[in-house]
Amino acid sequence: MSRILTWIKDRVKLLRSMRLWLFVMTFAIGLLPCIMLSHVLLSSYERKAIDIRTADVTNQLHIISDHLITHKYMQVNSSESIDAELSQLSNLYNGRILIIDQDLRIIKDTYGISQNKIIVSQEVIRAFRGETVSNYDDQDGYIEISMPIIENVVTDDNGSQSVIRGVMLTSVSSDTIINTQDSLRDISRLVNYLVAVALFVIAVSASAIVTIPLKRLVLSISDVKEGYTSNPVMVRDYLETENISDAFNSVLARLKLLDDSRQEFVANVSHELKTPMTSMKVLADSLLVQDEVPAELYKEFMGDITREIDRENQIISDLLSLVKMDKTSSDLYISQVDINALIELVLKRLRPIARKKNIELEFVSMRQVDAMVDEVKISQVITNLVENAIKYNNDNGSVRVTLDADHQFFTLEVEDTGMGIPEDSREQIFERFYRVDKSHSREIGGTGLGLAITKSAVLMHRGTISVDSVEGEGSTFTVKIPLVYIPQSN
Ligand code: ADP
């Protein structure tokens, strides 16, 4: 049962094959016009041939009709030359001619079987009214023509008048036309068969050739399955395959980048977590190897160990924040937040740290701002930026936080009078573990994760963050966040 199902599935799958569709299209597009053309040609040949035959016979009948009048055949009912003419015409077209007088009596039948009989038919009556009527009976294969025999008589006032003396009823066979048509049909059928065979071969090879680049594309994509380091995919045969190759390569490059950054991140995390551990081990070992350690040294070393533990803690909690930020934006807890109040609160918390370096914290509020944001994350953004502005500031410096808004965004600027950031580091400072001056930063207590966390939080709110800085004079970080959070529609 399952085998049959697999077989059916395979067949259905085959129906979606591009190669099959190319084959069907080439074959059908080539053959259909051929069949239609031969059909149209054959039927138009038949119509044309019948028209020509009808015109020919009608002409002949006109001539005979004139002779009938000149030989007064309708009155005397016999004339050798007319009889000869009639039998010649009927032999020529394999037909029968009846001559009917005004009393509807057949005065001449080239078959000789209906002589003197009375005939009443619609065609005869119409001919007596002056009409020439022709019909083609394609079932029995003959053309029937009925035409009046007209004499022009001179009237008393020397005018002329047409008088219908009788009717000629003729039927001629269309066998020769049908035979020619049949042999034409045979030829066209043969031609169609040959065209079908040639088209079959062309369609099979064309569909195979056209799909070769796609096969090569699939093969080279499967070659890349092993890691991201293989050669890039490039099939340039068609613009489309080139575009697919380019798209695939850029996805590959992105994956490689992600993989590299994941590896680098793991290496950095291990290194950062190991550094305080190593310091603690060195401090503890040096206490252990000494027998009589003075109490002050113990105290001093224990103080150092506690600082390293704090640092380790700081790194771990920063890492946890970062991991949380890396998750999807569905982890945002959006609510209406008074941003002015939030800034005041953060500045109040950080004032004691600023005071240690005698740094002035100033808040410039251009307007009252209420925004739909995740309060915890935005508070972390403000804290990180102001903390950095204090950390990387000079003693007696100042930090100014400015808040403004338009109808769409609110803008937060954190400006300091610190050391500034070198031009070539301005992009990198938002990367995880990046620090401009490693030794100095360590001494200050940074983990290199603060701005990475800040940027993630801003991006989660579909905002932007940028930095402007003059070395030795200070830096300004600008954050722009929509007033209303718009979830991403997937
Ligand atoms: P850290 O924990 O080291 O402060 P961050 O990610 O917050 O890590 O900052 C990354 C680096 O950017 C810092 O180490 C510092 O070199 C630089 N930096 C950040 N803010 C400022 C600033 N306001 N002034 C000067 N340099 C800064």
Side-chain angles (χ1 to χ4, degrees):
M1 188 65 186
S2 72
R3 257 209 200 156
I4 301 173
L5 270 177
T6 328
W7 186 86
I8 294 173
K9 264 187 202 161
D10 284 352
R11 300 305 106 168
V12 172
K13 210 169 158 187
L14 201 71
L15 283 180
R16 285 171 28 230
S17 147
M18 182 178 169
R19 197 174 155 187
L20 179 78
W21 283 104
L22 279 175
F23 165 78
V24 172
M25 279 191 317
T26 320
F27 192 65
I29 289 172
L31 196 60
L32 276 179
C34 274
I35 294 173
M36 277 159 62
L37 192 70
S38 55
H39 184 77
V40 168
L41 284 180
L42 281 173
S43 54
S44 75
Y45 163 78
E46 188 187 10
R47 236 177 298 123
K48 198 90 199 153
I50 294 294
D51 287 351
I52 291 171
R53 175 69 52 91
T54 309
D56 271 357
V57 176
T58 311
N59 279 342
Q60 299 282 348
L61 290 176
H62 273 302
I63 294 166
I64 290 177
S65 162
D66 289 347
H67 289 173
L68 288 173
I69 296 299
T70 33
H71 286 83
K72 300 213 178 299
Y73 193 90
M74 301 312 290
Q75 287 85 7
V76 293
N77 290 359
S78 84
S79 157
E80 262 184 40
S81 64
I82 296 282
D83 287 347
E85 238 181 291
L86 289 172
S87 64
Q88 198 187 5
L89 185 68
S90 53
N91 285 341
L92 183 65
Y93 291 113
N94 190 18
R96 181 184 185 181
I97 305 170
L98 301 176
I99 296 180
I100 299 146
D101 69 9
Q102 282 164 320
D103 303 327
L104 300 177
R105 196 167 52 89
I106 298 169
I107 57 168
K108 173 73 184 170
D109 175 4
T110 52
Y111 277 13
I113 47 177
S114 302
Q115 211 90 9
N116 292 323
K117 284 187 182 161
I118 298 294
I119 183 165
V120 184
S121 76
Q122 218 179 1
E123 287 77 21
V124 173
I125 291 165
R126 281 174 69 187
F128 269 114
R129 281 196 205 126
E131 282 179 56
T132 298
V133 187
S134 68
N135 284 319
Y136 172 51
D137 183 341
D138 58 349
Q139 295 295 314
D140 299 323
Y142 66 86
I143 307 164
E144 198 178 67
I145 304 163
S146 52
M147 68 182 289
I149 303 164
I150 299 169
E151 183 178 1
N152 286 323
V153 287
V154 182
T155 52
D156 296 342
D157 52 356
N158 271 342
S160 101
Q161 190 191 351
S162 298
V163 178
I164 296 172
R165 296 287 180 209
V167 164
M168 260 194 289
L169 187 62
T170 313
S171 56
V172 291
S173 163
S174 62
D175 280 355
T176 49
I177 295 171
I178 304 290
N179 289 345
T180 317
Q181 201 191 14
D182 282 348
S183 44
L184 281 177
R185 186 171 287 122
D186 288 345
I187 294 170
S188 84
R189 214 168 271 158
L190 183 72
V191 170
N192 281 344
Y193 283 138
L194 290 175
V195 169
V197 172
L199 272 173
F200 183 84
V201 176
I202 293 171
V204 167
S205 6
S207 59
I209 292 168
V210 166
T211 49
I212 285 174
L214 294 179
K215 276 192 185 154
R216 283 205 290 121
L217 191 67
V218 173
L219 276 180
S220 36
I221 288 177
S222 0
D223 278 353
V224 179
K225 261 196 245 156
E226 301 299 320
Y228 309 117
T229 47
S230 310
N231 288 337
V233 170
M234 195 35 81
V235 179
R236 289 192 195 279
D237 303 52
Y238 302 125
L239 188 67
E240 287 79 3
T241 54
E242 193 176 321
N243 288 345
I244 295 173
S245 305
D246 285 344
F248 182 78
N249 287 337
S250 58
V251 170
L252 203 69
R254 172 124 186 84
L255 286 177
K256 188 173 164 4
L257 210 75
L258 281 177
D259 196 47
D260 287 352
S261 90
R262 186 181 55 85
Q263 280 180 13
E264 194 190 311
F265 181 63
V266 171
N268 283 340
V269 167
S270 317
H271 175 78
E272 293 298 326
L273 290 178
K274 253 189 106 183
T275 316
M277 289 286 194
T278 317
S279 309
M280 284 189 268
K281 174 129 177 65
V282 171
L283 289 165
D285 279 350
S286 57
L287 286 181
L288 280 175
V289 289
Q290 294 179 47
D291 291 332
E292 297 283 319
V293 186
E296 301 82 60
L297 202 66
Y298 248 116
K299 235 183 175 174
E300 191 193 328
F301 277 26
M302 279 315 208
D304 289 346
I305 290 175
T306 312
R307 262 192 299 282
E308 289 304 327
I309 291 172
D310 287 345
R311 187 170 159 68
E312 186 92 34
N313 253 336
Q314 182 63 48
I315 295 172
I316 290 170
S317 61
D318 275 2
L319 276 172
L320 285 176
S321 303
L322 195 65
V323 170
K324 268 195 218 152
M325 298 285 184
D326 272 354
K327 285 202 197 153
T328 56
S329 49
S330 60
D331 287 340
L332 283 178
Y333 299 100
I334 301 292
S335 63
Q336 177 93 1
V337 177
D338 176 345
I339 305 293
N340 300 62
L342 192 66
I343 295 172
E344 299 275 16
L345 192 74
V346 171
L347 293 185
K348 192 176 162 202
R349 269 199 236 128
L350 294 176
R351 233 165 226 127
I353 308 171
R355 215 168 285 135
K356 282 187 198 160
K357 288 174 83 176
N358 196 26
I359 289 169
E360 187 199 344
L361 291 189
E362 187 191 352
F363 176 34
V364 183
S365 168
M366 310 300 267
R367 65 193 71 237
Q368 172 60 37
V369 177
D370 293 286
M372 298 296 291
V373 290
D374 182 320
E375 184 167 4
V376 176
K377 291 192 173 76
I378 294 300
S379 150
Q380 198 160 11
V381 167
I382 305 166
T383 309
N384 285 353
L385 292 178
V386 178
E387 227 172 28
N388 279 352
I390 298 169
K391 269 198 298 187
Y392 301 104
N393 213 325
N394 304 315
D395 287 355
N396 308 319
S398 68
V399 175
R400 183 165 48 198
V401 181
T402 314
L403 176 68
D404 198 0
D406 56 20
H407 61 287
Q408 249 188 317
F409 299 92
F410 71 90
T411 311
L412 181 81
E413 265 181 26
V414 180
E415 193 183 342
D416 65 56
T417 52
M419 59 182 73
I421 302 159
E423 175 117 44
D424 54 356
S425 294
R426 275 174 217 162
E427 280 290 309
Q428 286 152 289
I429 51 170
F430 296 101
E431 285 169 19
R432 295 173 292 200
F433 295 116
Y434 184 84
R435 276 164 286 181
V436 176
D437 178 352
K438 288 232 173 217
S439 53
H440 190 214
S441 187
R442 226 177 109 65
E443 185 186 298
I444 293 172
T447 60
L449 292 172
L451 285 180
I453 295 169
T454 307
K455 187 174 178 181
S456 291
V458 171
L459 292 184
M460 279 173 100
H461 285 85
R462 311 210 189 303
T464 55
I465 181 164
S466 59
V467 63
D468 211 9
S469 183
V470 179
E471 267 189 275
E473 284 185 25
S475 315
T476 307
F477 284 82
T478 309
V479 171
K480 211 170 165 187
I481 289 179
L483 289 168
V484 179
Y485 174 74
I486 303 150
Q488 204 166 23
S489 52
N490 287 316

